[in-house]
Amino acid sequence: MIKLIPHWAVHDEEFWQSIRRRNLWFIKLRYATVVILAIFLITYRTILSIELSSTQVNVLIFITSFILLYNVSLHYFRRFLKHDSNDFNPLHLSIIQMILDLSVLLILIYYSGGVESPLIFFLIFHMIVGSLILPGIIIYSFALVVLISFWGIAVGEYFGILEHHHIEGFIPFPLHQDFNYVLSVNIVFTMVIIITVVLANNIARQLYQKEQQLYSYIEKLNKAEKEKTKYILGLVHEIKSPITALHSYLDLVLQKFLGPLDETVEDKLRRAKRRSDEALELINIVLKVSQMKLMDKISEEEFDLLELLKSVIRKYDQFVNSKFIQINLIDERKVNCRLKGDQFLMLIAFSNLLGNAIKYNYENGKVEIKLYSKEKSCLVEFCDNGPGIPKDEQEKIFEDFFRASNIRKMVTDGAGLGLSFVKEIVEKHNGTITIQSPSRLQEIGKPGACFIVSLPCV
């Protein structure tokens, strides 16, 4: 199999998708061509006042049918092509399309008057598109074959070697044996083809070089990001050591191994221990997240979703009580399916969603967490009756550093990274997350929002 893909584009999904889009665009254009040819066959005599010979009509019918046949075949087989540079791929399909289209066009040009045919402009169009898709050696070969074929038709008709098929009513009299006309058309056509192919291919090559540079820059950025993540891992791990030691000393004192404690002192020490617990939890989160980004993988373990959600709710007991918020956990699953993945990361994701539902809610608000099954997936809804998310901002809510305009007015702190990270965790577990606002808990002046997480069951 001929290798046509540049090495930098072998794993570039956008490159493959652009080739597939162009192939599909040509297929759709070919369907339109079939319709135009069919309309022409029906109306050429009545509307255009053109006379065609029986040979020309038969050729047009055959060509129209042939285009439809191979276009349907290409349309069907294109969906099975893989993005593999070592196998038959969408770029090879582009070459096949060019060969078929140019062959059909040359036949149509011959039977529609040769050098008199207006269809020669479609050859130029194909050369432009081919120059943007195909490598230089391929498109230059196509251009050479097209020029030789066109000159062969013109010269063959001029010397009577090939039969000339004049279209009566289109041009008053045949021009295929007018030396000046034939020579000028061929020279101009040759110059246009050469200039078109060279310019378009140079532009395409420059674009590919820019893409190659961009690809190398992305690789460098990814490498730098990994180095930064390694540095963060090392630094945070060093910070964890003294806090762990402090935590151990506090345990030792609170367990009264060093003697009895004054009640006030003991209370202060317990608060300090709670703070150190929170600090260790944050450090573990940073370590886990950094590890996920660095290794690009997650641990695989089965866990119970209901128990995980209960632990998340317990974590926010004090926060909930301070805002007098009512939390309801509803399990509507018929089968208690288990999930597989990184339980700690899912705990972070659900904590973020529940924390947002509480933090960005009004006092005496409502939060409902509902579990239900759908096909082979388990869905979790986090719904509230808070301020909701404006309709025009819902598509951006999972982007890095984005915060809804109405939320910024309520709470000033926050970096806008929580939901983007939640989305990343959910997608790492082959799940999806969507938003609905207003929510099913909406009240007058309180539209609320629902975040729906769908995860595959084991």
Side-chain angles (χ1 to χ4, degrees):
M1 187 60 62
I2 303 173
K3 289 188 177 182
L4 304 171
I5 313 297
H7 68 89
W8 59 268
V10 169
H11 303 293
D12 185 0
E13 190 64 22
E14 183 57 36
F15 173 83
W16 290 109
Q17 291 299 334
S18 66
I19 299 297
R20 292 182 75 93
R21 283 193 298 269
R22 289 167 186 169
N23 285 341
L24 183 59
W25 185 78
F26 261 110
I27 288 169
K28 290 179 179 179
L29 189 62
R30 220 171 278 118
Y31 283 127
T33 303
V34 169
V35 173
I36 292 169
L37 286 173
I39 294 172
F40 176 78
L41 281 167
I42 296 170
T43 63
Y44 73 89
R45 184 174 294 168
T46 56
I47 296 177
L48 301 176
S49 300
I50 291 175
E51 289 295 328
L52 298 178
S53 65
S54 59
T55 302
Q56 289 173 318
V57 172
N58 291 333
V59 167
L60 272 175
I61 293 172
F62 172 77
I63 290 294
T64 303
S65 304
F66 180 63
I67 292 174
L68 180 61
L69 178 64
Y70 78 72
N71 200 47
V72 170
S73 302
L74 293 173
H75 198 177
Y76 176 76
F77 286 112
R78 66 174 286 278
R79 70 188 70 179
F80 301 109
L81 298 181
K82 296 180 180 179
H83 300 172
D84 186 355
S85 60
N86 297 316
D87 200 356
F88 192 84
N89 58 58
L91 201 54
H92 292 106
L93 183 67
S94 299
I95 294 178
I96 290 176
Q97 288 191 100
M98 286 285 291
I99 292 172
L100 290 170
D101 289 346
L102 291 175
S103 301
V104 166
L105 263 175
L106 286 168
I107 294 171
L108 282 174
I109 286 171
Y110 171 64
Y111 282 98
S112 61
V115 291
E116 302 168 357
S117 176
L119 298 179
I120 60 175
F121 296 106
F122 285 101
L123 289 174
I124 299 169
F125 168 75
H126 269 73
M127 289 295 103
I128 293 172
V129 178
S131 299
L132 297 175
I133 298 176
L134 302 173
I137 185 66
I138 302 295
I139 193 61
Y140 288 138
S141 301
F142 275 137
L144 181 62
V145 170
V146 166
L147 288 175
I148 292 173
S149 300
F150 187 76
W151 274 83
I153 293 171
V155 172
E157 289 183 342
Y158 180 79
F159 288 104
I161 301 171
L162 297 176
E163 181 184 356
H164 177 68
H165 297 274
H166 182 68
I167 300 178
E168 297 292 339
F170 178 68
I171 296 178
F173 49 87
L175 297 169
H176 66 288
Q177 289 187 324
D178 186 321
F179 179 79
N180 292 331
Y181 176 80
V182 172
L183 184 62
S184 60
V185 167
N186 277 274
I187 290 175
V188 171
F189 178 74
T190 302
M191 291 176 62
V192 170
I193 287 290
I194 292 173
I195 294 170
T196 298
V197 170
V198 170
L199 286 178
N201 197 248
N202 283 337
I203 292 170
R205 191 185 303 115
Q206 290 174 10
L207 288 174
Y208 281 139
Q209 288 173 351
K210 293 293 182 183
E211 287 188 52
Q212 186 177 3
Q213 289 175 2
L214 182 61
Y215 188 75
S216 64
Y217 292 151
I218 291 172
E219 283 188 330
K220 289 178 182 177
L221 284 172
N222 289 335
K223 187 177 179 181
E225 180 67 23
K226 286 189 175 182
E227 292 298 323
K228 184 182 75 173
T229 304
K230 287 180 182 177
Y231 174 76
I232 291 172
L233 272 171
L235 181 63
V236 173
H237 197 272
E238 290 299 316
I239 294 172
K240 184 180 179 180
S241 299
I243 295 179
T244 305
L246 174 63
H247 194 270
S248 301
Y249 290 137
L250 287 170
D251 272 337
L252 192 66
V253 174
L254 285 169
Q255 291 172 19
K256 301 180 181 177
F257 287 114
L258 302 179
L261 294 171
D262 179 76
E263 188 176 331
T264 306
V265 173
E266 185 176 356
D267 180 61
K268 298 295 183 184
L269 288 174
R270 290 195 182 281
R271 289 186 183 184
K273 185 177 179 299
R274 280 198 299 270
R275 291 297 184 184
S276 66
D277 286 339
E278 292 173 4
L280 283 173
E281 185 180 357
L282 286 172
I283 287 171
N284 286 330
I285 289 172
V286 172
L287 288 172
K288 195 74 176 180
V289 171
S290 300
Q291 186 181 16
M292 183 188 77
K293 290 182 176 291
L294 183 64
M295 306 296 291
D296 196 30
K297 63 180 182 179
I298 58 175
S299 62
E300 295 286 337
E301 56 179 329
E302 286 190 21
F303 59 91
D304 186 273
L305 183 58
L306 185 61
E307 291 302 318
L308 182 67
L309 289 169
K310 286 179 179 178
S311 66
V312 172
I313 293 172
R314 286 194 296 269
K315 178 181 174 182
Y316 285 97
D317 276 346
Q318 188 175 354
F319 194 13
V320 167
N321 294 332
S322 66
K323 294 189 71 172
F324 307 102
I325 288 176
Q326 177 187 349
I327 295 184
N328 292 321
L329 177 59
I330 303 170
D331 188 359
E332 294 183 351
R333 296 174 299 169
K334 295 179 180 178
V335 179
N336 186 18
C337 67
R338 296 175 66 82
L339 301 181
K340 191 173 184 179
D342 195 312
Q343 186 173 351
F344 186 74
L345 285 176
M346 290 309 304
L347 178 69
I348 296 171
F350 290 145
S351 293
N352 191 288
L353 292 173
L354 180 58
N356 285 349
I358 299 168
K359 181 179 180 181
Y360 302 119
N361 206 336
Y362 307 107
E363 288 192 359
N364 301 302
K366 295 178 184 177
V367 175
E368 187 173 284
I369 305 172
K370 186 168 77 170
L371 284 76
Y372 57 96
S373 301
K374 188 176 181 181
E375 295 177 353
K376 295 183 180 181
S377 297
C378 185
L379 285 86
V380 188
E381 284 188 8
F382 291 82
C383 295
D384 61 65
N385 62 341
I389 308 293
K391 201 76 174 177
D392 58 339
E393 297 181 8
Q394 291 179 19
E395 291 184 0
K396 302 177 183 177
I397 199 68
F398 295 107
E399 295 179 2
D400 288 344
F401 307 108
F402 181 83
R403 298 182 72 213
S405 55
N406 57 340
I407 295 300
R408 291 197 299 267
K409 296 174 184 176
M410 290 181 62
V411 182
T412 55
D413 64 314
L417 288 169
L419 287 176
S420 66
F421 184 54
V422 169
K423 186 173 185 286
E424 186 177 352
I425 291 174
V426 171
E427 289 178 347
K428 288 282 185 185
H429 288 78
N430 300 314
T432 59
I433 180 169
T434 55
I435 180 176
Q436 289 180 358
S437 184
S439 77
R440 52 187 169 77
L441 300 180
Q442 64 176 306
E443 298 176 3
I444 298 174
K446 300 177 181 179
C450 278
F451 287 88
I452 305 162
V453 177
S454 176
L455 295 166
C457 292
V458 176

